[in-house]
Every structure is written in structure tokens, then in C-alpha cells.
Amino acid sequence: MLTEQDVETFDRQGYLVVEGLVNGQVLDGVREEYAQLMDRLFGQWQAEGLVDAPRPGMGFWDKLDVAYRGGFDWYQPFDISLPFAGITDETPFHFGPAVFDMVTDSGILDAVETLIGPEITSNPIQHVRIKPPERAVAKDEIRAHVVSTDWHQDQGVTLPEADQTDFITVWLAVTDATVENGCLKVAAERYDAMMPHCPKVQTALADSHVPKRSVPVPVKAGGAVIFHPMTPHASLSNESDGYRWSFDLRYSVTGQPTGRSHFPEFVARSRSNPASELKDWRVWKAMWEETRSRLANAPHVAQHRWDESSPHCA
């Protein structure tokens, strides 16, 4: 678990960098699971005549680069959530045993428990983020999980139902996150209130509320940046020649609204009722499959509270 000094630092600045939060075995499992997923996708594209057969020795990053530059749909099949709109019965996503092991990792849950208590729900506001080099990004690319991320507060991307919910974000690095390849940056001052957001390229802080001073927060693979929901943060541009990979994982106090109640949640840890903890990744996957079917055949449910009508967005 975190030390008393860690907790004091988190309370003072609204975020905490924790190196070595998960071990290499957990990350290796995630990497291998995604490599297998990429192989299946690449095989589909080859069968459709979209790509040539893979070259000998062609690995995950090589195939991903071909997919991104070719404009193929690789992001949504990789994501651990559904998109904000356009959900169909066939919308792809990824929920597998290695990702489940990561989300329920004891190192992560120990840290979360120290900050919000022992009754922990895996909050469904979660995503994979794989950022290509900025120079390779298409001019019309708008997905926040692919391009550099605008300034925002995580409380600002929940619905009002969660305004009193205790939750935190664990931004977990799968590859080293450096200043060069687009690590996060956070506001230099502590913030304790929600600020207005506007629908820009992404849901982002209104221009008048963007922090004037910020600090970069690089972290090595297996480490994490843990955020208070009111802490403004963004990402730097990826100026390197490679991809930067991370996950946004969120955890809230069990029994409190998640801020996206139309998506499934589950109990990741309970000291008072361990039997309530979800242990089977297949159940998690089935929950999302049922949700996809329900939402695909129902009126659209908004995932964000902000629109252009705010005077801050004029």
C-alpha cells in the first residue's frame, strides 16, 4: 500500500506518481493478449485484401503501424469500453483474462484502498490509449485516446450523478511514458472544484480555465499516475518515432454512482464482503456484451454533460 507520505503528497498536489505499481508479469500478459488480438485483426484485413501477408518477423508494433497508416479500425477493437455514440450489436471491444488481471491487480487495488477505502468498484469509465507519433496522425483524427489529450478534469467526463462519488483514476503506463513520447502533464496548483468544460476536439476545459502553469509527469512501464478527479491534466504531443501505450483505469467507492451508470461496473475488492468480488473475466466480458446489445437497440444515452450552450464556450 502507499505510505503516509504518499497520501500526504496526493492530498497536497492532487496526483501521485507511483513507479512499479504492477509487476512485469502482469504487463507481459497484457502485451501478449493484445499481440494475439492484433494477429487476428491483421488476418481479417489480409483476408479482405486490405493488407499483404505479414513479413517474417513482423511484430505487434509493425502491424499496428500498418493499421494506423492504412486507416483500418484497430482502436475500437482494442478498447475496454464502448464508444460515446454509434453503438451497434457488432461494435468491437476487448475484454480478456490478462486485462482483467490488470484491472484487479492487487498492487493497484492496494493503492486505491489507501486513498478511497476498502470497498472498491471497477468504474466503467476506462480506456486503452495507444498514441502514434504526432507526425503520423491524420489531420482529421479526433479520438482523444489516439491524439494528444486536451486539458480536462476526470470529474468533468462523468455525468452529474457522480458529482458526490469518491473515485480516482489510475493512469497505468504499459510502455515508458516520457516527455518526448507524450507523457501526461498536470496543473501545477491544486484544484478542488469542477470547472466548465466545452465540446472541443474532445471534452475539454473552457479556454478561460486552462491552467497557466503545468508540470510533466513521466513514468516508466508498470508505473502509474494516480489522479484526484478534480486535478486538471492533459498530455504532451508524441514527438518520438514510436507509439506510447497506457490504460485509464478508474475506481470508485462501491454503492456510489459511477458517472456512467448505463455501463457495467463490478466489485473489485470488498473487505466487508469478499464473496461479492468478481473473479471471472468471462462474466465481465458477458456484462459488456449484454450492455452493447441493450444500448444498440435503445435511444442514445449521453456520456457527457457539456454542450456549446455554456457561456464559457462562446
Side-chain angles (χ1 to χ4, degrees):
M1 292 192 182
L2 303 180
T3 67
E4 183 176 337
Q5 183 177 357
D6 289 333
V7 175
E8 290 175 355
T9 300
F10 180 83
D11 289 341
R12 182 179 69 254
Q13 63 187 21
Y15 72 94
L16 183 69
V17 179
V18 183
E19 296 286 4
L21 186 61
V22 302
N23 63 44
Q25 185 176 358
V26 171
L27 291 187
D28 286 345
V30 170
R31 294 180 185 119
E32 177 58 28
E33 192 166 276
Y34 272 82
Q36 293 176 11
L37 174 57
M38 174 56 79
D39 287 346
R40 292 195 296 272
L41 290 172
F42 206 87
Q44 293 171 15
W45 298 327
Q46 182 185 350
E48 294 168 6
L50 299 174
V51 298
D52 295 330
R55 303 182 304 273
M58 195 176 187
F60 174 82
W61 295 113
D62 302 309
K63 293 177 180 179
L64 179 61
D65 200 54
V66 169
Y68 185 73
R69 294 176 188 276
F72 308 140
D73 182 18
W74 61 272
Y75 175 74
Q76 186 55 49
F78 278 9
D79 201 16
I80 55 172
S81 186
L82 285 163
F84 71 92
I87 297 169
T88 73
D89 288 317
E90 304 302 321
T91 297
F93 47 47
H94 177 67
F95 294 92
V99 171
F100 183 77
D101 288 347
M102 175 186 66
V103 171
T104 59
D105 179 74
S106 60
I108 293 177
L109 296 180
D110 286 347
V112 172
E113 179 175 351
T114 305
L115 295 172
I116 67 171
E119 305 304 314
I120 303 171
T121 281
S122 174
N123 188 298
I125 306 177
Q126 57 191 2
H127 294 284
V128 66
R129 294 181 183 269
I130 301 182
K131 308 271 187 169
E134 198 74 14
R135 65 179 66 91
V137 172
K139 292 182 179 179
D140 59 351
E141 178 64 80
I142 62 172
R143 290 171 293 182
H145 317 114
V146 177
V147 297
S148 56
T149 307
D150 290 335
W151 280 104
H152 67 283
Q153 296 168 296
D154 283 348
Q155 189 77 58
V157 299
T158 68
L159 294 173
E161 66 179 33
D163 281 353
Q164 304 305 314
T165 293
D166 297 311
F167 76 91
I168 56 174
T169 298
V170 177
W171 189 94
L172 182 68
V174 179
T175 58
D176 290 352
T178 66
V179 171
E180 183 186 17
N181 73 9
C183 70
L184 295 181
K185 57 182 177 180
V186 300
E189 293 84 24
R190 172 69 190 261
Y191 289 76
D192 294 305
M194 181 143 63
M195 295 180 285
H197 289 62
C198 297
K200 303 180 183 180
V201 174
Q202 308 145 17
T203 297
L205 286 176
D207 291 344
S208 58
H209 287 73
V210 169
K212 293 181 172 56
R213 296 194 305 120
S214 64
V215 292
V217 282
V219 62
K220 294 184 181 300
V225 186
I226 302 177
F227 287 104
H228 186 279
M230 294 300 184
T231 300
H233 58 283
S235 75
L236 299 171
S237 296
N238 182 358
E239 302 300 333
S240 75
D241 293 326
Y243 288 72
R244 193 264 283 158
W245 185 0
S246 64
F247 285 90
D248 291 347
L249 307 176
R250 292 192 175 91
Y251 302 88
S252 50
V253 172
T254 299
Q256 297 180 355
T258 64
R260 207 160 288 174
S261 58
H262 53 294
F263 283 178
E265 62 193 78
F266 69 85
V267 175
R269 173 173 289 180
S270 175
R271 298 298 189 186
S272 65
N273 183 17
S276 66
E277 298 173 3
L278 184 63
K279 300 295 186 181
D280 189 339
W281 71 272
R282 291 164 295 192
V283 175
W284 186 43
K285 180 182 179 184
M287 291 163 64
W288 279 93
E289 289 172 339
E290 186 281 328
T291 297
R292 176 177 61 188
S293 177
R294 171 170 48 82
L295 295 178
N297 298 282
H300 173 67
V301 179
Q303 294 189 24
H304 298 286
R305 67 178 81 192
W306 311 99
D307 60 41
E308 296 89 346
S309 65
S310 169
H312 297 281
C313 303

